[in-house]
Amino acid sequence: MKKLTSLLLSAALMISLLACGAFAAKTKSGVRIAGLKGPTTMGLVNLLDMERSGKASQHYDLQLYGAADEIVPKLIKGELDMAAIPANLAATLYQKTNGGIQVMAVNTLGVLYVVEKGDSIHSFAELKGRTILSTGKGTTPEYVLRYLLTKNGLDPDKDVKIEYYSEASEVTAQMAASKKDAIAVLPQPYVTAAQLKDSSLRVVLDLTKEWNKVCDTQLITGVTVVRTEYAKENPDIVANFLRDYEKSIKAAQTDIAGTAALCEETGVVAKKAIAQKALPQCNIVYRVGDEMKADVNAYLKVLYDGSPAAVGGKLPDANFYYTKATPGQVFWKSVQRSFQ
């Protein structure tokens, strides 16, 4: 009888502590999250400020990379837990790892623009015969550009010449070195950065608007993914992350100056002034659940129809989309973690 009473009291104490937040998951080394320089990581930077002020539910280790192909091997090896990457890359990685990653959220909508150093381009038709500088071969910029060229009656392999660079900063350097008539596809905030250096650079095509003219799906630049095994083993940490992430995204949408300062501090954007001017044009969002699934699935279908290779050869199945753990799963994992 005494043993039963003791167990009941212990259970009551655990529930009481949980209600007070005592079991909020705290990792010793931090949740390892990778991001790319630019818009897909601008929504993450407020996590660091939240942690410093004691408002984050757990520790975060935000790691920054210049290109997506630097992130992929680390995810595969389990050296990262989560990452903000291009949507089509997530689909390809899902296929290559046999379901090893899942999409948790859409973090960025369309951010791509065609810019020109000159005044010769005013429509897609006028790109015929020209050289276009771009970043993102094998990811969103390449497939969006090729899709839109095709939809506007141009053959991406014959009517234009596309030169790819590993980072957007390399494209802006090439633009700066060109005397005139240079054309590039750039994402925000690199468009803003380039224009601040060269006032003659002008935006000639907003690829989000051009996409909307020929397609009834949402253009998606970036998603946030989690390793499937990590999500299964740590439902409480993932739940805490999503709550914190939503707050971080909201801060990026409302506290422009504060987010811009953090972008410079972390190296996501070179200068606060650039980030502050670009943030309103970066289409940073927080979309999860059914809304996320509908948007991503429709977008990937468009890419697949244009080139199956763009999404890894086939469309991902339903397991590609992360499903929130039940409150019971989160609770018991938190209890277990508290005794580790």
Side-chain angles (χ1 to χ4, degrees):
M1 185 66 180
K2 289 182 179 180
K3 186 175 181 181
L4 177 60
T5 302
S6 178
L7 287 172
L8 290 172
L9 287 172
S10 296
L13 177 60
M14 285 192 294
I15 293 171
S16 176
L17 289 172
L18 182 61
C20 296
F23 287 145
K26 295 279 185 178
T27 59
K28 293 179 181 179
S29 60
V31 182
R32 301 167 300 176
I33 309 173
L36 294 167
K37 296 176 183 177
T40 55
T41 308
M42 293 170 85
L44 280 166
V45 296
N46 282 290
L47 290 175
L48 304 182
D49 187 58
M50 289 166 60
E51 186 173 352
R52 283 192 297 231
S53 63
K55 296 178 181 179
S57 61
Q58 56 202 8
H59 303 307
Y60 295 105
D61 174 15
L62 180 60
Q63 304 174 23
L64 200 62
Y65 297 90
D69 57 11
E70 296 178 70
I71 294 175
V72 170
K74 291 182 177 293
L75 269 175
I76 293 174
K77 293 176 183 177
E79 295 173 5
L80 292 168
D81 306 316
M82 305 174 185
I85 59 177
N88 79 292
L89 178 60
T92 300
L93 190 55
Y94 178 78
Q95 310 292 4
K96 287 184 176 180
T97 60
N98 295 315
I101 61 107
Q102 292 179 302
V103 173
M104 293 187 292
V106 173
N107 59 49
T108 317
L109 303 180
V111 296
L112 294 170
Y113 299 83
V114 174
V115 297
E116 180 190 16
K117 193 172 183 178
D119 192 22
S120 62
I121 303 298
H122 302 86
S123 68
F124 260 97
E126 292 173 324
L127 290 172
K128 188 172 183 177
R130 303 297 294 274
T131 296
I132 304 170
L133 312 180
S134 183
T135 185
K137 184 170 179 58
T139 60
T140 302
E142 177 185 4
Y143 292 116
V144 169
L145 177 58
R146 291 180 66 88
Y147 175 79
L148 291 176
L149 286 168
T150 301
K151 282 292 185 178
N152 282 276
L154 297 178
D155 186 328
D157 299 312
K158 296 179 180 179
D159 293 328
V160 298
K161 179 183 179 182
I162 307 174
E163 294 182 356
Y164 290 101
Y165 295 83
S166 60
E167 296 188 30
S169 58
E170 295 179 63
V171 177
T172 58
Q174 289 293 322
M175 292 289 287
S178 301
K179 292 184 178 180
K180 62 176 182 178
D181 296 334
I183 302 167
V185 172
L186 283 172
Q188 286 288 6
Y190 293 97
V191 172
T192 297
Q195 287 183 313
L196 288 174
K197 290 183 178 180
D198 186 351
S199 59
S200 69
L201 194 70
R202 67 186 189 92
V203 173
V204 296
L205 295 169
D206 179 338
L207 295 192
T208 300
K209 291 181 179 179
E210 296 300 320
W211 179 278
N212 292 339
K213 290 178 183 178
V214 297
C215 192
D216 58 3
T217 66
Q218 179 69 66
L219 176 56
I220 296 172
T221 296
V223 296
T224 303
V225 303
V226 61
R227 285 191 296 110
T228 304
E229 182 181 3
Y230 183 85
K232 288 179 179 178
E233 293 177 352
N234 304 282
D236 52 336
I237 292 177
V238 174
N240 286 339
F241 165 74
L242 288 173
R243 284 192 293 270
D244 287 348
Y245 191 30
E246 183 174 17
K247 294 174 184 176
S248 180
I249 292 287
K250 186 174 181 180
Q253 295 168 335
T254 57
D255 182 10
I256 304 299
T259 302
L262 286 166
C263 285
E264 179 179 339
E265 178 187 331
T266 56
V268 170
V269 180
K271 298 292 182 182
K272 175 183 175 180
I274 296 171
Q276 189 161 342
K277 188 173 181 180
L279 269 164
Q281 282 77 50
C282 286
N283 288 322
I284 297 170
V285 297
Y286 176 80
R287 293 187 180 178
V288 296
D290 291 340
E291 183 181 24
M292 167 197 72
K293 182 177 180 178
D295 286 348
V296 174
N297 191 58
Y299 171 67
L300 294 179
K301 179 65 165 58
V302 171
L303 296 188
Y304 174 82
D305 289 343
S307 172
V311 297
K314 62 180 180 179
L315 289 171
D317 57 33
N319 291 326
F320 177 56
Y321 303 97
Y322 172 76
T323 301
K324 287 179 62 177
T326 66
Q329 290 171 322
V330 173
F331 170 80
W332 287 115
K333 189 61 183 181
S334 296
V335 171
Q336 292 171 11
R337 195 181 304 283
S338 68
F339 291 106
Q340 293 176 352

